[in-house]
Amino acid sequence: MKKDIKISKMIRIVCLVVFSLLFLAPYFWMLSNSFKSTSEILLEPQHLLPTKFTLAGYIKVLTKSPFFRWLLNSLFITIIDTVVILFTSSIIGFVLSKYRFKLRKTMFYIILLTMMVPATAMMIPNFLLISTLGWYDKLIALIVPTFFNAFGIFLCKQYIDDLPKELFESAMLDNASDLKIYFKIVLPSIKPAIGSLAIFTFLALWNDYLTPLIMLNSAKNMTLPLALSFFSAQHMSDLSATMAAASLIMIPASAIFILFQNQFIKGITMSGMK
């Protein structure tokens, strides 16, 4: 019996290692090529590791392009939108979960229905609205339209629904205000949902390519995913610089996931148990 368990465990470990290597292979290939010269990247057969280690690609990205401006644009948009979405999702979820008023269920169903509308169907209306407001080719065109997230509201409401009623009743007996209940009881109790929502939101905004492509035009206002395409088109012959730019773009998203991976896994696990 113990022997069967050990064999089963070994098979799972081997499968996990194989799939991990398959998923990591493209990232390793990109990172390795970023330290090669373009001529070495084009060699056949290719070497797994660079034979002549060089930082020329990184130096070119950092000196021949406004990389830090693009980085600041992406960070500015992503951080502001993530913070605002966490606040709006949690407070709207709190109101919909714990307060009884007319049209409460109707409002919740309308919010859920917006999740069924394909994002591509809203591109033209959004573009016309942004142009009418005079926000075309401005960062505000990417920031304001994403202040509310239907999935985030749904996720937070589900977590708040499961909080014990006694918590809220005892707080009301102590004459705690609504905001005090929200900040002192609700937010600390739904940390896993907030953590997983923060990572989902950050990664979605950070990697968004289509919206900036539609809403922005000038190079100085580009975000990193769009700038990578722009940079690659300008330096098509320099594969080393392109790989270096792609590697640099990957660093912030990877750092966020590593820092918050425990909250992310905990949030996903608890969501699956509901």
Side-chain angles (χ1 to χ4, degrees):
M1 184 68 180
K2 287 184 178 179
K3 188 177 179 181
D4 292 340
I5 293 174
K6 284 183 179 179
I7 292 173
S8 173
K9 189 177 179 182
M10 284 294 294
I11 292 173
R12 286 201 300 271
I13 291 173
V14 170
C15 290
L16 287 173
V17 170
V18 170
F19 280 110
S20 299
L21 291 175
L22 285 175
F23 281 108
L24 289 174
Y27 298 101
F28 178 78
W29 178 82
M30 177 183 69
L31 196 61
S32 174
N33 280 341
S34 70
F35 294 111
K36 297 177 183 176
S37 63
T38 299
S39 57
E40 187 179 352
I41 294 173
L42 296 174
L43 278 178
E44 290 291 346
Q46 284 203 7
H47 301 291
L48 189 61
L49 296 173
T51 53
K52 289 185 179 178
F53 186 88
T54 176
L55 293 174
Y58 289 93
I59 293 171
K60 188 168 187 177
V61 172
L62 297 177
T63 57
K64 302 293 183 183
S65 70
F67 179 82
F68 290 107
R69 175 64 185 261
W70 295 335
L71 177 65
L72 285 176
N73 289 343
S74 282
L75 286 174
F76 182 68
I77 293 168
T78 305
I79 290 173
I80 286 184
D81 270 343
T82 302
V83 172
V84 173
I85 286 173
L86 292 180
F87 174 72
T88 56
S89 298
S90 57
I91 200 163
I92 293 174
F94 170 51
V95 171
L96 290 174
S97 175
K98 295 302 176 188
Y99 293 89
R100 300 293 179 266
F101 53 90
K102 283 184 179 180
L103 301 177
R104 182 179 69 92
K105 288 187 177 179
T106 306
M107 288 175 62
F108 182 59
Y109 291 141
I110 291 174
I111 291 171
L112 290 184
L113 280 174
T114 62
M115 295 170 62
M116 313 302 169
V117 180
T120 48
M122 298 302 297
M123 285 180 184
I124 294 177
N126 284 340
F127 175 77
L128 294 175
L129 179 61
I130 292 298
S131 298
T132 304
L133 293 172
W135 292 352
Y136 179 67
D137 199 26
K138 295 178 182 176
L139 295 185
I140 194 172
L142 302 181
I143 296 173
V144 174
T146 53
F147 275 173
F148 298 94
N149 184 293
F151 171 74
I153 294 170
F154 171 74
L155 182 68
C156 291
K157 181 183 179 301
Q158 294 303 102
Y159 268 79
I160 297 169
D161 280 346
D162 287 347
L163 296 181
K165 291 181 181 176
E166 290 76 12
L167 275 176
F168 298 93
E169 289 172 353
S170 59
M172 291 173 72
L173 286 175
D174 290 338
N175 293 322
S177 65
D178 293 338
L179 282 179
K180 191 172 183 180
I181 293 174
Y182 168 72
F183 283 110
K184 297 290 185 182
I185 295 176
V186 173
L187 282 185
S189 302
I190 61 169
K191 278 183 181 176
I194 294 291
S196 53
L197 180 61
I199 293 178
F200 279 131
T201 305
F202 186 94
L203 294 179
L205 293 168
W206 185 263
N207 294 322
D208 188 16
Y209 171 78
L210 195 56
T211 310
L213 178 66
I214 295 171
M215 300 299 179
L216 301 177
N217 185 40
S218 55
K220 66 176 183 177
N221 289 332
M222 287 182 179
T223 56
L224 281 174
L226 182 61
L228 176 62
S229 174
F230 177 74
F231 182 83
S232 301
Q234 282 193 325
H235 302 82
M236 290 184 69
S237 59
D238 195 341
L239 296 178
S240 176
T242 302
M243 293 297 167
S247 301
L248 287 172
I249 290 173
M250 195 179 67
I251 292 174
S254 303
I256 289 293
F257 178 77
I258 292 169
L259 285 174
F260 296 101
Q261 59 176 323
N262 289 336
Q263 289 286 354
F264 178 72
I265 294 170
K266 192 175 179 181
I268 294 295
T269 305
M270 293 182 72
S271 297
M273 292 169 62
K274 288 180 180 299

